[in-house]
Amino acid sequence: MIKHLRSAADLDAATATLILDTAAEMAALSGREVKKLPALRGRTVVNLFYEDSTRTRISFEAAAKRLSADVINFSAKGSSVSKGESLKDTALTLQAMGADAVVIRHPASGAPHRLANWVEGSVVNAGDGTHEHPTQALLDAYTMRSRLGRLDGLRVAIVGDVLHSRVARSNVLLLTTLGAQVTVVGPPTLIPLNVAAALSASTKVSYDLDSVIPDSDVVMMLRVQTERMQDSYFPSSREYSRRYGLDLRRMKQMQEHAIVMHPGPMNRGMEIAPEVADSPRSTIVEQVANGVSVRMAVLYLLLGGK
Amino acid sequence: MAYLLKGVSILGAAPVDLYIEKGVISGKPVDGATVVDATGLIALPGLVDVHTHLREPGREDAETVETGSRAAALGGYTAVCAMANTSPVADTAGVVEQVWRLGREAGLVDVQPIGAVTVGLAGKQMAELGAMATSAANVRIFSDDGFCVADPKLMRRALEYVKAFDGVIAQHAEEPRLTEGAQMHEGEVSTRLGLTGWPAVAEEAIIARDVLLAEHVGSRLHVCHVSTAGSVEVLRQAKARGVRVTAEVTPHHLLLTDELAAGYDPVFKVNPPLRTASDVAALRQAVLDGVIDVVATDHAPHAVQDKECEWSYARPGMLGLETALPIVLSVFGPQWDLIADRMSIAPARIAGLDGHGGDLTQAGTPANLTLVDPAASWVVDPAGLASRSRNTPYAGMTLPGRIVATFLRGEATVLDGKVAK
Amino acid sequence: MAQPRADAPSKIILEGSDLSRVVDRIAHQILEKTSGATGTVLLGIPTRGVPLAHRLAARIHAFEGVDVPVGSLDITLYRDDLRLQATRALGKTELPPGGIDGLRVILVDDVLFSGRSVRAALDALKDLGRPSSVQLAVLVDRGHRQLPIRADYVGKNIPTALSESVKVTLTEIDGADEVKLIGGLQ
Ligand SMILES: [Zn+2]
């Protein structure tokens, strides 16, 4: 098993599949009356969050607690982090506290890689800058597999601000590792110039959402921040929404079985219409529930053994 | 003191006995000269760096004029041009004279201050270039290095203004709007790492603009740390047209590539950023062709806390003085005439440093020289460097060429690979 | 504990039809001891306890026409020696549709040794529900208990040395039915 989960590129197909299979067992167990499992008793998991992300933190916290780990939340607010202590000094503190795993969310790309130099325990990337968010990709893959029964050969469209999206990067890497055919879709300003060469050779690029939708098994909408407008990535929310938003008309072009995903939080009316987000095709609520199972699997596989 | 450099090879020529007396190369034997066994050693004119950050005043925790001078002498340098981005900025006669005086006091290399082009490097108002030129520091190179003189009107005026005292503007070519938030070379690696890209065109566009401006006003332009193949092409065409432009490249841009960012270790973060292997190849060819005139270190010391952190928060820059010659030697091999030209003669000419880059075979040439053992190799140990900082990207690498001795105006600043005073 | 080397000498204790007869015997004992296996659930402990539980259910059905519900109970997350080895993959936990509450649960495993697996199974079971009683059926008991645990149904007692190991293979998983004793000073 791997020591750290810093990037979806850390996972080969066998390891990724093991995580998804383990997550399925965790999901089966979480329906029980007694939700706690003793596997990580005596282990300490630190949630080190330099960005507000209640959703992700709670998900990791629930996962660690269901495995009976001790959880320490170390957030930028109300700790020495906000007083400007360096990541390295914080790491040494966590090391002294005996952290077996550090789950880190950080606005700087690569912060988990740096952290791994300074702690002995496992490092789990819970989102770093505009780099990656590997557990999100795992829970997305898990959700696709649960809904559609497979990943190999699945046609997945990832739509929106691919340039700044850590979710997109991790998904492209993980899904192509597991045999899916990924197309990234968005305005050319928000698609990196060399995405296939950089991430995975089989990745396709399209600037035309309407041509991609009928051929997709999965349409994953990314959050688009309206601030990007100020920076001339696109002219207006209205134009963005018209060209790259998923509305009812576009959803009707999807195949019968195809699903709609969104990592959240959504900009309803911007990249996704409310009726689409709430439709039976949408997996948005499942994605949240699956997040806990997948994170339990990751923590178990990183910390459960020697 | 007089020296006899016994059996020394000047730029790879047949061994001779070279006498130094009264600060110059002596044409005849000198009685009682201290003998330095120079068997197997190459004599080069003392190296001249047109791009050094000494950090004093302001960041003495990273480097001082004294520690930087030691590093320079150990690297074979006899003169370094100290960049203006200190705190306070070297934008007045007072600050440049202070730096110049600190250099004299250290006495290991000639520290030639570079003056800022604009007040506070802010790119708004021209600094008192004339006052700096006529100060004791005798400033000839002006640069806002660290920042680009982005305003085309201000750049034009500065190019024109320094003609009155034969100055030169050294441009840090970086279109600021195209590099907002930039962290590394824009390419496959930046996409993979999720780091904001620094596109090659941001450098090339400024160089293209500035060679046209220099041509228009008939001024000299010097381009700092050229890093892309596209920049080389722009310079090649400008030179072919007769534009008075010179250019430098750093040792690290001749050797390292953006792939090194993969582990997010900021020791590889530098501005301009490490580029691709094809850029490296084009830069090497440009040094051979003379399209690039100078290898300059861009020696940029940084305190530990400014590098032992997240990539995005780290300051850009690398140490260079103690490794420059070995890197150049490893890249080009023992082409001693080429090395002497690009690392001593051409930079001395550009900086207007008359006593440096002289012909060591001529009696009366100021005895600014360095002795290199090309057969020796050494492993770079950051803790073993003389610089106050440790941010070398070459840690653990085995490099060819050891600097055995350096002489500044006939006095040994380095002997047996150690600082001599 | 030291494992015998791969090339250590081995001795076949049971194979093919011998093993089937042992399973039949356990099925008969269960029927006898539980008055016809009413109110009973068989829970196999992965990996090899699961097919054994299914075989027992099939034999009980063949002998008496009774359908005994079968499930599986993975104990990995409850083991006390997780950290002594590389991370283990999880097995399946599947309770029969009727659950286990108020029923007699018979845990089924291939080999009973230190008793630690059974203790982990009891811990896992307690988190899943409240059976009226719990019994244990094993194909082989090789002795060397480290905990106060005994089996209610034993297919075969095999006295062993600690330096030996017992290897069970089953057709469903391994392609053949066999019980082998490996290693030891011979
Ligand atoms: Zn610069």
Side-chain angles (χ1 to χ4, degrees):
Chain A
M1 190 54 199
I2 53 170
K3 162 111 195 244
H4 305 293
L5 181 56
R6 294 164 298 190
S7 160
D10 292 342
L11 303 171
D12 58 19
T15 309
T17 305
L18 175 63
I19 293 175
L20 300 183
D21 291 345
T22 304
E25 297 305 326
M26 295 294 183
L29 291 171
S30 67
R32 313 165 318 154
E33 217 169 296
V34 182
K35 288 209 159 61
K36 273 206 174 200
L37 295 157
L40 300 186
R41 203 153 46 199
R43 297 265 172 158
T44 301
V45 174
V46 175
N47 286 319
L48 178 60
F49 274 56
Y50 287 82
E51 281 184 337
D52 273 336
S53 176
T54 312
R55 303 155 56 96
T56 306
R57 185 183 56 72
I58 286 177
S59 182
F60 270 106
E61 186 171 351
K65 283 185 169 164
R66 282 188 197 173
L67 291 169
S68 304
D70 295 322
V71 179
I72 298 173
N73 287 315
F74 210 86
S75 78
K77 289 207 176 70
S79 77
S80 52
V81 172
S82 57
K83 293 180 204 125
E85 183 176 75
S86 75
L87 180 60
K88 185 178 182 184
D89 286 338
T90 301
L92 298 179
T93 304
L94 301 181
Q95 183 60 41
M97 284 160 58
D100 295 296
V102 182
V103 176
I104 179 172
R105 162 69 68 108
H106 199 292
S109 298
H113 291 73
R114 298 295 285 153
L115 182 66
N117 297 325
W118 300 318
V119 294
E120 280 168 32
S122 294
V123 171
V124 180
N125 182 357
D128 62 329
T130 52
H131 178 223
E132 285 208 43
H133 193 354
T135 60
Q136 176 72 43
L138 283 163
L139 78 88
D140 289 340
Y142 181 89
T143 305
M144 290 176 211
R145 199 177 72 163
S146 319
R147 274 279 191 124
L148 302 170
R150 71 199 163 104
L151 290 164
D152 191 35
L154 217 56
R155 292 156 304 170
V156 181
I158 301 178
V159 186
D161 184 359
V162 176
L163 183 64
H164 299 99
S165 174
R166 48 197 179 200
V167 176
R169 265 178 195 71
S170 288
N171 262 300
V172 169
L173 289 167
L174 181 71
L175 292 171
T176 53
T177 296
L178 292 170
Q181 169 61 58
V182 178
T183 305
V184 293
V185 187
T189 45
L190 291 174
I191 306 288
L193 287 172
N194 34 36
V195 62
L199 298 178
S200 175
S202 68
T203 312
K204 292 182 188 152
V205 173
S206 171
Y207 307 131
D208 178 13
L209 182 54
D210 288 308
S211 71
V212 173
I213 278 186
D215 293 331
S216 298
D217 303 302
V218 178
V219 178
M220 181 185 295
M221 303 307 296
L222 301 173
R223 177 179 170 80
V224 174
Q225 292 174 324
T226 46
E227 305 91 81
R228 304 287 176 217
M229 214 164 69
Q230 268 77 55
D231 220 359
S232 302
Y233 286 103
F234 52 88
S236 69
S237 306
R238 196 174 54 182
E239 175 156 326
Y240 182 88
S241 181
R242 201 180 295 144
R243 291 179 66 83
Y244 297 103
L246 188 59
D247 56 13
L248 271 180
R249 178 186 67 80
R250 286 201 168 104
M251 190 170 77
K252 291 208 179 83
Q253 305 304 309
M254 291 171 65
Q255 294 177 48
E256 197 71 39
H257 67 273
I259 57 172
V260 174
M261 305 185 75
H262 194 298
M266 287 179 280
N267 287 318
R268 285 172 183 257
M270 175 81 170
E271 72 269 4
I272 189 164
E275 312 84 60
V276 176
D278 300 332
S279 79
R281 287 182 187 279
S282 159
T283 63
I284 293 160
V285 177
E286 285 158 69
Q287 282 170 269
V288 176
N290 293 340
V292 177
S293 306
V294 163
R295 287 168 180 131
M296 286 173 78
V298 168
L299 290 174
Y300 168 67
L301 291 170
L302 289 178
L303 299 183
K306 193 153 58 175
Chain B
M1 191 181 277
Y3 286 97
L4 163 57
L5 310 184
K6 200 165 174 45
V8 75
S9 163
I10 299 174
L11 298 178
V16 294
D17 290 347
L18 187 67
Y19 288 91
I20 299 171
E21 189 189 26
K22 299 194 178 100
V24 298
I25 306 294
S26 169
K28 53 188 189 315
V30 179
D31 284 342
T34 303
V35 178
V36 175
D37 179 9
T39 311
L41 303 187
I42 305 291
L44 295 171
L47 306 183
V48 175
D49 191 16
V50 294
H51 195 143
T52 310
H53 296 275
L54 292 179
R55 303 292 184 224
E56 187 175 4
R59 281 308 295 265
E60 290 82 356
D61 60 327
E63 195 81 288
T64 64
V65 171
E66 204 265 332
T67 58
S69 294
R70 295 169 77 84
L74 287 166
Y77 286 87
T78 52
V80 298
C81 299
M83 273 298 173
N85 64 337
T86 48
S87 177
V89 172
D91 56 0
T92 61
V95 180
V96 293
E97 284 187 350
Q98 182 197 350
V99 173
W100 177 78
R101 207 167 35 245
L102 287 167
R104 286 277 144 162
E105 282 165 21
L108 292 164
V109 289
D110 286 347
V111 174
Q112 176 58 46
I114 291 173
V117 177
T118 66
V119 175
L121 308 176
K124 296 276 187 262
Q125 187 194 344
M126 200 190 292
E128 290 184 352
L129 309 185
M132 289 188 273
T134 53
S135 71
N138 196 21
V139 175
R140 285 296 175 271
I141 301 179
F142 298 90
S143 180
D144 274 1
D145 183 60
F147 299 96
C148 182
V149 181
D151 178 343
K153 190 167 76 177
L154 188 55
M155 185 61 184
R156 177 216 164 124
R157 297 279 187 259
L159 285 166
E160 284 180 296
Y161 190 78
V162 298
K163 283 204 278 189
F165 35 85
D166 197 27
V168 60
I169 305 295
Q171 176 70 295
H172 168 119
E174 176 183 358
E175 210 311 302
R177 288 282 284 161
L178 288 175
T179 56
E180 275 171 20
Q183 295 294 331
M184 68 171 297
H185 172 66
E186 181 173 299
E188 286 171 26
V189 183
S190 68
T191 294
R192 192 163 70 236
L193 299 185
L195 291 170
T196 307
W198 199 127
V201 65
E203 174 175 305
E204 294 151 7
I206 291 292
I207 298 176
R209 181 200 74 176
D210 287 356
V211 294
L212 292 170
L213 284 174
E215 186 173 28
H216 180 60
V217 298
S219 292
R220 281 172 69 198
L221 167 71
H222 178 73
V223 183
C224 297
H225 42 51
V226 171
S227 69
T228 79
S231 298
V232 169
E233 277 322 298
V234 172
L235 289 165
R236 195 186 301 279
Q237 290 169 27
K239 286 192 160 190
R241 283 203 312 278
V243 180
R244 296 169 69 203
V245 58
T246 54
E248 73 190 38
V249 65
T250 67
H252 47 268
H253 287 113
L254 290 171
L255 187 69
L256 310 177
T257 67
D258 61 342
E259 293 285 347
L260 290 164
Y264 294 94
D265 185 344
V267 80
F268 299 110
K269 181 174 173 176
V270 66
N271 192 22
L274 299 178
R275 305 286 186 184
T276 66
S278 61
D279 292 302
V280 168
L283 293 166
R284 291 178 176 193
Q285 189 59 45
V287 170
L288 292 170
D289 296 346
V291 170
I292 287 175
D293 305 79
V294 166
V295 176
T297 66
D298 195 4
H299 178 81
H302 286 297
V304 171
Q305 68 271 20
D306 292 329
K307 284 290 189 182
E308 285 216 324
C309 60
E310 297 84 335
W311 177 282
S312 312
Y313 303 166
R315 300 177 68 108
M318 300 173 167
L319 297 184
L321 287 169
E322 292 169 79
T323 47
L325 182 61
I327 297 291
V328 169
L329 192 54
S330 77
V331 169
F332 295 108
Q335 303 189 55
W336 300 112
D337 286 305
L338 176 83
I339 291 172
D341 183 75
R342 304 298 190 266
M343 298 189 76
S344 175
I345 301 166
R349 187 172 61 237
I350 290 165
L353 294 169
D354 289 338
H356 295 270
D359 183 350
L360 300 180
T361 63
Q362 295 293 313
T365 298
N368 296 315
L369 62 118
T370 188
L371 302 182
V372 188
D373 181 355
S377 64
W378 57 294
V379 178
V380 181
D381 170 17
L385 297 176
S387 171
R388 182 159 283 184
S389 293
R390 297 285 169 262
N391 54 306
T392 175
Y394 310 112
M397 277 177 61
T398 301
L399 298 179
R402 197 173 73 91
I403 309 297
V404 177
T406 306
F407 295 87
L408 177 65
R409 281 183 288 280
E411 295 301 322
T413 55
V414 171
L415 274 180
D416 283 334
K418 296 184 187 66
V419 175
K421 58 186 282 188
Chain C
M1 196 162 301
Q3 291 292 308
R5 300 200 341 249
D7 60 352
S10 66
K11 188 170 115 193
I12 292 168
I13 307 284
L14 290 173
E15 65 186 323
S17 55
D18 306 340
L19 198 146
S20 301
R21 269 195 299 280
V22 170
V23 172
D24 284 358
R25 192 161 62 237
I26 300 173
H28 279 300
Q29 285 171 1
I30 289 173
L31 282 167
E32 196 175 314
K33 227 171 162 176
T34 61
S35 331
T38 49
T40 300
V41 173
L42 292 165
L43 288 185
I45 297 174
T47 307
R48 287 176 184 76
V50 179
L52 279 175
H54 282 281
R55 285 195 200 185
L56 287 170
R59 297 317 288 154
I60 288 168
H61 181 86
F63 298 146
E64 296 288 333
V66 187
D67 281 316
V68 182
V70 182
S72 64
L73 177 67
D74 184 50
I75 60 165
T76 309
L77 295 169
Y78 291 83
R79 299 185 76 105
D80 62 4
D81 60 351
L82 270 181
R83 276 181 228 174
L84 303 180
Q85 296 188 23
T87 310
R88 303 161 195 244
L90 302 189
K92 278 218 172 316
T93 294
E94 270 171 333
L95 297 189
I100 55 170
D101 286 354
L103 299 175
R104 177 192 298 111
V105 167
I106 301 178
L107 298 171
V108 183
D109 205 354
D110 53 353
V111 179
L112 178 59
F113 182 21
S114 68
R116 286 170 188 273
S117 299
V118 177
R119 184 187 54 186
L122 291 170
D123 286 345
L125 203 55
K126 142 189 104 97
D127 285 352
L128 286 171
R130 197 179 177 286
S132 64
S133 67
V134 182
Q135 297 182 343
L136 174 63
V138 297
L139 187 65
V140 173
D141 183 348
R142 63 165 291 194
H144 304 290
R145 214 77 72 244
Q146 295 167 353
L147 294 169
I149 282 168
R150 58 159 186 80
D152 299 271
Y153 314 97
V154 177
K156 190 163 179 63
N157 283 296
I158 305 179
T160 60
L162 276 173
S163 59
E164 295 169 319
S165 76
V166 175
K167 174 78 184 149
V168 174
T169 61
L170 295 175
T171 315
E172 296 91 326
I173 293 166
D174 312 290
D177 281 354
E178 199 174 76
V179 175
K180 254 198 298 197
L181 185 62
I182 305 173
L185 307 167
Q186 301 199 338

